[in-house]
Amino acid sequence: MQKDLGNYRKSYEKSALMEEAISDNPMELFQKWFYEVEASEGIDEPNAMTVSTIGLDGFPKNRVVLLKKYTYEGFIFYSNYASEKGKAIVKNPNVCISFFWPNLERQIIIKGKAERIAENLSDGYFESRPDGSKLGAIVSEQSSVISSRAVLEEKLAALEKAYEGKEIERPEWWGGYIVKPVSMEFWQGRANRLHDRIRYSLEDIDWKIERLAP
Ligand SMILES: Cc1cc2nc3c(=O)[nH]c(=O)nc-3n(C[C@H](O)[C@H](O)[C@H](O)COP(=O)(O)O)c2cc1C
């Protein structure tokens, strides 16, 4: 079986990324682009991002998670601490996050260090989730092998009964990570493959700004 995709070709012409128009702090440029993608309404889940980790098997692995908060400090997402990514982060907290917003012809690649957020912050976010999502998080031993879907559904049904009318507390093995960036690279598609790439690298407390060849 084969399919040749050589003819898939697109010219990127929507925007530009010039040094004169950017902030000294990459989080401010991130925020500007995030607002623009939200306003464009052309992306269903603009907060969907890939997080890649170096696994215990030595391979990098990407998966999509949802960005739930960003601040000057970094990017927060929630997951199961005992999952494959959770174990990878314990061994090696260096991760890479990326966003691709095709309607704006933009990509952002962030290298950073992942760490668990404070327990009270994870409690607060867990509390804000609907009961179904809370129980779903408890039911799923994320990334472990299971024998069938029925196992999950039976476990959920049992938990629904057990928790009826009771408060559902966050399990200790589920919570947030913050990824504190050390490098943020912004890519804006341009005509003739001469795309704009601007990279911010953290040096002590300042961000060095460089343009990269496309
Ligand atoms: C759109 C989308 C959003 C997702 N959001 C999350 C999330 O916020 N947290 C999470 O743990 N997994 C999320 N997942 C599932 C992950 O991609 C992945 O399957 C899961 O985290 C297990 O990854 P791991 O086995 O590599 O640890 C999402 C998947 C998709 C496609």
Side-chain angles (χ1 to χ4, degrees):
M1 197 247 278
Q2 72 167 22
K3 181 167 162 64
D4 190 346
L5 306 174
N7 281 337
Y8 277 39
R9 216 164 264 133
K10 182 181 163 185
S11 184
Y12 303 111
E13 299 179 354
K14 291 207 169 136
S15 195
L17 180 61
M18 302 305 286
E19 286 81 347
E20 308 80 75
I22 61 172
S23 158
D24 291 342
N25 189 302
M27 291 309 295
E28 289 167 9
L29 181 54
F30 179 85
Q31 165 148 288
K32 178 173 181 287
W33 278 22
F34 199 82
Y35 282 166
E36 286 170 1
V37 70
E38 279 179 316
S40 74
E41 292 180 6
I43 298 277
D44 239 10
E45 291 187 294
N47 61 329
M49 59 186 193
T50 60
V51 176
S52 63
T53 51
I54 302 295
L56 304 188
D57 58 4
F59 283 91
K61 181 181 174 187
N62 302 333
R63 78 285 284 160
V64 174
V65 301
L66 296 177
L67 176 67
K68 286 295 173 175
K69 187 172 185 170
Y70 62 86
T71 67
Y72 274 111
E73 242 200 317
F75 301 86
I76 294 179
F77 68 94
Y78 290 86
S79 196
N80 184 311
Y81 290 144
S83 64
E84 187 175 345
K85 79 182 83 47
K87 289 175 181 150
I89 288 169
V90 169
K91 176 101 189 287
N92 183 348
N94 294 346
V95 301
C96 184
I97 296 174
S98 72
F99 294 85
F100 173 43
W101 296 316
N103 64 328
L104 299 183
E105 302 170 348
R106 285 176 178 171
Q107 170 183 236
I108 306 176
I109 302 172
I110 299 150
K111 291 182 189 170
K113 303 227 171 245
E115 55 186 71
R116 294 183 187 189
I117 62 172
E119 297 204 359
N120 63 321
L121 298 179
S122 288
D123 288 340
Y125 174 69
F126 190 79
E127 178 53 38
S128 75
R129 303 180 97 206
D131 280 0
S133 307
K134 288 180 183 166
L135 291 179
I138 296 174
V139 161
S140 171
E141 289 175 32
Q142 196 178 54
S143 316
S144 64
V145 175
I146 51 175
S147 55
S148 69
R149 179 168 182 90
V151 173
L152 290 178
E153 286 173 357
E154 282 158 20
K155 213 165 149 189
L156 179 62
L159 280 180
E160 278 170 348
K161 254 199 186 148
Y163 278 103
E164 219 176 282
K166 292 192 193 131
E167 201 185 317
I168 309 168
E169 284 189 8
R170 175 182 69 87
E172 73 206 4
W173 37 262
W174 189 97
Y177 290 100
I178 182 166
V179 177
K180 297 184 174 172
V182 297
S183 150
M184 289 178 60
E185 186 184 322
F186 295 79
W187 183 98
Q188 175 70 62
R190 299 291 303 269
N192 303 315
R193 298 295 182 259
L194 294 186
H195 315 301
D196 288 326
R197 292 176 67 195
I198 298 284
R199 181 179 64 197
Y200 291 76
S201 311
L202 189 59
E203 294 196 332
D204 296 325
I205 53 165
D206 291 322
W207 289 96
K208 181 169 75 178
I209 300 177
E210 294 164 304
R211 175 172 287 268
L212 304 178

